[in-house]
Amino acid sequence: MAHQTVIVLDFGGQYNQLIARRVRECNVYCEVKPYTTPLAELKAMNPIGIIFTGGPNSVYEEGSPKVDPEIFTWGVPVLGICYGCQLMAHTLGGQVTPAQDDTAREYGKTETWYNTNSPIFKGLPQQGISWMSHGDYMAQVPQGFELVAHSANCPNVAIANEEKGFYGVQYHPEVNHTENGVKMIRNFLYEVCHAAGDWTMEDYKNTAIAAIREKVGDGKVLLALSGGVDSSVCAALLAEAVGSQLTCVFVDHGLMRKNEGDEVEAAFSKWAMNFVRVDAESRFLAKLAGVEEPEHKRKIIGEEFIRVFEEEAKKIGAVDFLAQGTIYPDVIESGAGDAAVIKSHHNVGGLPDYVDFKEILEPLRLLFKDEVRQLGRELQLPEYLVSRQPFPGPGLAIRVIGDLTKEKLDTLRDADAIYREEIAAAGEDKNINQYFAVLTNTRSVGVMGDGRTYDYTLALRAVTTSDFMTADWARIPYDLLDKISVRIVNEVPGINRICYDITSKPPATIEWE
Ligand code: XMP
């Protein structure tokens, strides 16, 4: 695809994906590459600029990540952030040392003064907050560089060699705590790299459709559609590109939220593709009968899902392409291999062994989640699909605690629908990243009318989070909680008590199972 490209060279910092997203928000395409990528490969990408990310190391330590110094001789502008800034200084003959005293070490929000004559600070206020996180100090900046920002404790918050197009900042412009951080990144892209701003979703859609058509030719494509954002957008894009050559298999396991299966089906009715909805509720419930242990439930659902999909694929016969909704964070995410398994996530993956196909098609593999949603809107998918909150592959099976029955699932569906309706009606869905109801297996005594009840307790869960790795419980207004509680207890038989989950993650997880 003929877009200008910026390379984000990854030195292991925790905000690297955020840097890439900021660049793309500025309508410039970028890719994240590990710092070990050979120079020849980087050159072949023909970038208009390179951004060195932060990282946990110190440049003077033995074995710390380095770059080939030749990167500074091929005439491409470089912006170094934090470690990236120190690395540039170190490589070009400056001196980086551990901060001698507490004052030179900076963490958190720091008042900063910018030289607005420098291209990267053009149009910014002269003073603002920048977010720092560094324990090292540039004792001497390389020859040819000038100081273009300072704080009370640090004379060289930003350095610049305007002639060469090299800039370095000690702070993190990509995080929200930094005022005008994105403006600085935009300046680097447009004032220094002279970007054309040619990355827009409309262009991407058109280019992707053309590329899919060329690759697929008159071949057949198969996609497992879950109804989640990624597989839905992938389906819409493929439907737009190759229409009736596409078959989407939607395995309805009976563990979806209220009306969800019908909504997914309706959303795709406008395309001329083959849509196969497999009603597999009874076979999933039969397999899950009497199973209480969460990991066991996940395993059964994952395996059964593959089995159903495999059977449908056999009916369709050999296909040329198996499509998957892989997105960019899945591609660049690394280092997760050693992490302890807290919950084995079941997703529509691991299918290739079971289906007869020639090649894999992953048309979203360069997009971030926000961009996938944008593309969905561009393809005119309904908003309820595009802005859908995350929903686990095993669905409501892990939101009915313990033993599953159809009755319990229906009870949960009704309660969850009321909860979601009220949260959305109050506009709170904009502030909360994920919210759902959980049917516990605790029953308690209540009184309704003049009679005693002995019914289930429902838990409401709502969290705010940016990455779903950590989360805080959402501060839903009491009056709204009250309204939800009254409606559920009155409208849903079998529930006589409502609790609100006020634990963050960690120590709890977002889901209950
Ligand atoms: P936890 O409960 O681990 O959830 O804090 C983090 C995020 O992952 C979702 N989740 C799953 N997604 N398959 C999925 O596809 C799963 O088995 C699964 N379990 C949890 C959860 O909804 C939250 O967004």
Side-chain angles (χ1 to χ4, degrees):
M1 284 174 218
H3 298 113
Q4 290 183 332
T5 300
V6 163
I7 295 172
V8 174
L9 206 58
D10 183 353
F11 290 95
Q14 49 180 324
Y15 306 115
N16 299 350
Q17 287 197 29
L18 200 52
I19 298 174
R21 279 170 53 194
R22 297 284 181 250
V23 172
R24 291 199 188 176
E25 275 166 34
C26 295
N27 299 110
V28 178
Y29 179 69
C30 72
E31 283 191 37
V32 181
K33 290 283 175 191
Y35 76 93
T36 47
T37 310
L39 200 60
E41 198 180 310
L42 299 180
K43 271 189 175 170
M45 292 170 69
N46 197 20
I48 58 166
I50 302 181
I51 299 179
F52 293 177
T53 75
N57 301 80
S58 289
V59 289
Y60 46 80
E61 273 168 11
E62 210 173 306
S64 61
K66 295 282 178 328
V67 276
D68 188 334
E70 212 194 307
I71 206 162
F72 297 108
T73 61
W74 41 289
V76 176
V78 176
L79 171 66
I81 294 175
C82 199
Y83 180 84
C85 169
Q86 292 157 7
L87 180 67
M88 179 161 66
H90 177 82
T91 313
L92 293 175
Q95 204 191 349
V96 179
T97 58
Q100 292 304 318
D101 55 61
D102 283 351
T103 53
R105 215 176 280 135
E106 293 179 297
Y107 294 99
K109 293 180 179 175
T110 309
E111 183 91 75
T112 306
W113 287 264
Y114 309 104
N115 176 351
T116 53
N117 293 322
S118 174
I120 56 166
F121 297 125
K122 192 175 151 185
L124 262 70
Q126 289 183 332
Q127 195 179 345
I129 297 294
S130 62
W131 198 80
M132 304 275 191
S133 179
H134 66 99
D136 286 338
Y137 176 71
M138 281 187 290
Q140 202 182 324
V141 300
Q143 244 181 7
F145 279 75
E146 54 174 333
L147 311 181
V148 288
H150 68 275
S151 65
N153 295 326
C154 179
N156 48 24
V157 167
I159 57 173
N161 182 331
E162 205 173 316
E163 188 194 326
K164 297 227 154 98
F166 298 155
Y167 295 84
V169 292
Q170 298 262 26
Y171 64 92
H172 287 271
E174 69 277 17
V175 303
N176 282 333
H177 309 298
T178 295
E179 291 170 355
N180 295 301
V182 179
K183 228 175 189 173
M184 189 283 280
I185 292 175
R186 175 176 286 277
N187 277 342
F188 174 70
L189 299 169
Y190 287 87
E191 301 294 326
V192 180
C193 305
H194 306 294
D198 59 7
W199 175 249
T200 66
M201 240 344 116
E202 193 192 350
D203 279 349
Y204 178 81
K205 181 189 81 174
N206 295 333
T207 324
I209 288 173
I212 292 167
R213 283 187 184 143
E214 190 179 329
K215 184 159 189 186
V216 170
D218 54 9
K220 283 209 274 183
V221 184
L222 178 64
L223 172 76
L225 177 67
S226 70
V229 178
D230 302 340
S231 74
S232 296
V233 174
C234 188
L237 182 66
L238 289 165
E240 194 77 32
V242 296
S244 59
Q245 290 159 257
L246 169 70
T247 303
C248 287
V249 174
F250 171 45
V251 177
D252 186 347
H253 50 24
L255 306 167
M256 309 253 181
R257 287 163 293 194
K258 195 167 184 174
N259 302 328
E260 199 164 27
D262 295 341
E263 282 173 8
V264 172
E265 189 167 353
F268 289 96
S269 58
K270 68 171 175 166
W271 280 286
M273 54 135 144
N274 309 296
F275 187 95
V276 180
R277 178 172 175 179
V278 190
D279 178 5
E281 181 184 43
S282 50
R283 69 186 271 189
F284 274 85
L285 290 188
K287 288 268 175 195
L288 288 163
V291 178
E292 293 189 0
E293 210 280 314
E295 283 303 288
H296 194 188
K297 286 182 185 174
R298 278 193 169 78
K299 201 155 178 282
I300 291 172
I301 295 167
E303 278 171 8
E304 197 60 15
F305 190 94
I306 290 176
R307 207 142 297 141
V308 175
F309 185 75
E310 180 190 15
E311 285 172 21
E312 292 305 314
K314 272 196 189 129
K315 289 185 205 160
I316 295 160
V319 293
D320 303 279
F321 299 90
L322 180 75
Q324 289 190 321
T326 318
I327 68 171
Y328 201 44
D330 308 331
V331 177
I332 50 179
E333 211 122 79
S334 60
D338 298 333
V341 176
I342 309 292
K343 296 176 188 183
S344 60
H345 283 196
H346 152 75
N347 284 316
V348 185
L351 296 171
D353 288 353
Y354 300 84
V355 180
D356 189 9
F357 71 99
K358 290 191 203 130
E359 223 180 304
I360 292 224
L361 208 57
E362 295 177 313
L364 309 181
R365 65 179 281 120
L366 297 177
L367 303 185
F368 286 109
K369 194 84 178 185
D370 313 346
E371 294 175 312
V372 172
R373 293 190 206 277
Q374 236 176 303
L375 178 60
R377 292 188 185 107
E378 211 40 72
L379 289 157
Q380 294 179 352
L381 271 177
E383 193 57 32
Y384 62 77
L385 271 191
V386 169
S387 56
R388 179 160 277 182
Q389 50 172 312
F391 185 63
L396 300 183
I398 56 164
R399 293 181 182 170
V400 171
I401 306 305
D403 182 30
L404 273 182
T405 61
K406 171 131 171 64
E407 291 68 38
K408 284 185 183 174
L409 285 165
D410 285 339
T411 302
L412 176 59
R413 264 190 275 267
D414 287 341
D416 183 68
I418 293 172
Y419 182 31
R420 286 189 292 132
E421 188 186 314
E422 290 297 337
I423 291 282
E428 284 290 327
D429 52 336
K430 315 276 181 299
N431 309 324
I432 304 174
N433 302 99
Q434 195 173 5
Y435 56 101
F436 52 86
V438 174
L439 188 67
T440 74
N441 51 2
T442 292
R443 288 205 287 169
S444 70
V445 175
V447 53
M448 280 180 103
D450 290 329
R452 175 188 190 272
T453 57
Y454 187 56
D455 286 333
Y456 282 103
T457 301
L458 185 90
L460 303 176
R461 182 68 160 147
V463 294
T464 54
T465 173
S466 55
D467 56 7
F468 298 89
M469 307 286 281
T470 60
D472 196 8
W473 59 277
R475 272 46 170 187
I476 298 179
Y478 282 173
D479 288 348
L480 180 55
L481 283 173
D482 180 54
K483 193 170 178 197
I484 294 163
S485 166
V486 170
R487 268 199 69 192
I488 293 176
V489 172
N490 279 300
E491 294 175 36
V492 185
I495 295 175
N496 69 351
R497 195 177 292 270
I498 313 278
C499 294
Y500 187 54
D501 182 346
I502 53 165
T503 27
S504 57
K505 172 185 178 179
T509 53
I510 296 174
E511 302 284 349
W512 274 39
E513 282 198 338

